[in-house]
Amino acid sequence: DVIDKISRQQAIDAALAGLDWMVRNQCADDFDANKGRLPATYDCQAQRTTSWTTNWTTGVSIEVLMSGYFFTGKEHYLSAAKAAADYLKSLQVLSITASDRVRGVFREEIPQTPWAHPRDALTAAWALLDFGRCTGDEDSIHRAILFADWFMNVAMEKGYPYWTMRLDDRTWNPPYCVSFHSGGAFFFYRLHQVTNRDVYLQAMRSILDFYNRYHLDDNGQVAVVVDRDTFETLDGKVDHPMKWQIMHRYNDDFGALANLAAWKVLQ
């Protein structure tokens, strides 16, 4: 009943009010290394940001800011999206001295963070791909493709992608396979649309074949954590909070969309 009483204009006004709040509170200080990041948590009583967006939440912010720009034509949304994209670029490892094992990945939080979740970094690359396509920024598209090459060659070197990668000498743990990689297949679908390179469809197929076989049962129930060697479901058996695991059972992380896209192009 409540939804029925909300008009289209009310929904639009609420969405744009949220976007305007994001823009007002985006870090815009030229002398702050956080420039371009947006609030991740905010203290309403103190009226201040208490933490900033990571690679993937910055990427999602770019997507919604671009939606606001195309809906309204207002330049401040586009400017905010560009600042966020510039911050993401600062997280990408592109040093000429970097090894192929890390070159192209987006660090998780800041340019000094020694690790990343490949699925989170993929959202950063996805946002740059869309930003580049929408604005003509070829550098953003190039960076997204560099990341995709890293992901296919390194993150997927054991078949299904790693949970976490490191930029130091620590082990790439946890060693398990996790359901949230399902949405990564949709990113490779988008890359195929942009480049027409079949290698991206191969990556898409590889991710979804594993996900559909070992993470998704016939009733649609998601097994969040799976042993990489035995394929045993490890939900409730690993050192991660159950509320986190249960959340991922309901958040398929674009798995349904990825499967629909695969159905269209992989028949």
Side-chain angles (χ1 to χ4, degrees):
D1 291 342
V2 174
I3 294 176
D4 291 339
K5 294 177 182 178
I6 297 175
S7 69
R8 180 177 184 273
Q9 191 58 51
Q10 285 176 309
I12 291 171
D13 290 345
L16 294 179
L19 284 180
D20 289 338
W21 180 88
M22 289 172 61
V23 174
R24 288 197 306 273
N25 289 282
Q26 184 178 35
C27 182
D29 186 345
D30 288 334
F31 297 96
D32 190 328
N34 289 310
K35 183 180 179 183
R37 297 175 86 181
L38 297 111
T41 56
Y42 187 85
D43 186 328
C44 294
Q45 192 168 38
Q47 296 189 3
R48 66 182 183 88
T49 297
T50 54
S51 69
W52 297 106
T53 48
T54 63
N55 56 10
W56 77 271
T57 47
T58 302
V60 172
S61 297
I62 291 170
E63 300 283 6
V64 298
L65 288 165
M66 292 300 296
S67 295
Y69 169 67
F70 283 113
F71 185 79
T72 66
K74 293 182 178 179
E75 290 290 330
H76 67 286
Y77 297 134
L78 179 61
S79 297
K82 183 182 184 306
D86 287 343
Y87 184 78
L88 284 185
K89 292 179 181 182
S90 77
L91 299 182
Q92 191 171 27
V93 178
L94 292 181
S95 169
I96 59 172
T97 62
S99 70
D100 290 341
R101 190 153 181 78
V102 300
R103 190 171 189 273
V105 74
F106 293 86
R107 297 174 187 262
E108 190 74 15
E109 296 172 344
I110 64 174
Q112 292 77 36
T113 302
W115 59 278
H117 296 316
R119 178 63 184 89
D120 291 355
L122 182 145
T123 296
W126 192 338
L128 286 185
L129 177 69
D130 289 344
F131 178 80
R133 289 283 290 168
C134 290
T135 64
D137 181 9
E138 292 295 330
D139 179 58
S140 289
I141 298 173
H142 176 67
R143 286 169 177 269
I145 290 173
L146 282 176
F147 172 82
D149 291 342
W150 172 85
F151 194 96
M152 291 185 297
N153 293 326
V154 180
M156 295 182 65
E157 65 185 7
K158 291 187 177 181
Y160 199 70
Y162 288 110
W163 186 326
T164 301
M165 63 81 62
R166 304 285 312 189
L167 291 104
D168 52 23
D169 58 0
R170 293 179 59 180
T171 304
W172 290 24
N173 279 326
Y176 315 115
C177 298
V178 277
S179 61
F180 53 62
H181 275 299
S182 62
F186 197 87
F187 167 67
F188 286 106
Y189 168 76
R190 286 284 296 117
L191 275 170
H192 181 261
Q193 288 184 310
V194 171
T195 67
N196 205 34
R197 290 179 59 193
D198 288 343
V199 66
Y200 297 131
L201 293 185
Q202 296 170 22
M204 179 187 197
R205 183 192 297 273
S206 179
I207 292 170
L208 286 179
D209 281 351
F210 188 98
Y211 171 75
N212 291 338
R213 183 173 183 180
Y214 299 112
H215 287 283
L216 193 66
D217 70 17
D218 292 340
N219 296 317
Q221 175 76 21
V222 174
V224 176
V225 186
V226 170
D227 187 280
R228 184 178 290 278
D229 299 316
T230 67
F231 310 121
E232 175 192 2
T233 299
L234 299 177
D235 289 6
K237 302 176 184 179
V238 294
D239 188 21
H240 285 271
M242 272 308 299
K243 61 182 180 182
W244 177 91
Q245 296 175 53
I246 292 170
M247 176 270 293
H248 276 291
R249 291 177 188 168
Y250 296 96
N251 169 27
D252 78 347
D253 206 29
F254 300 103
L257 290 174
N259 270 307
L260 284 170
W263 173 76
K264 289 176 59 178
V265 298
L266 296 179
Q267 292 189 69

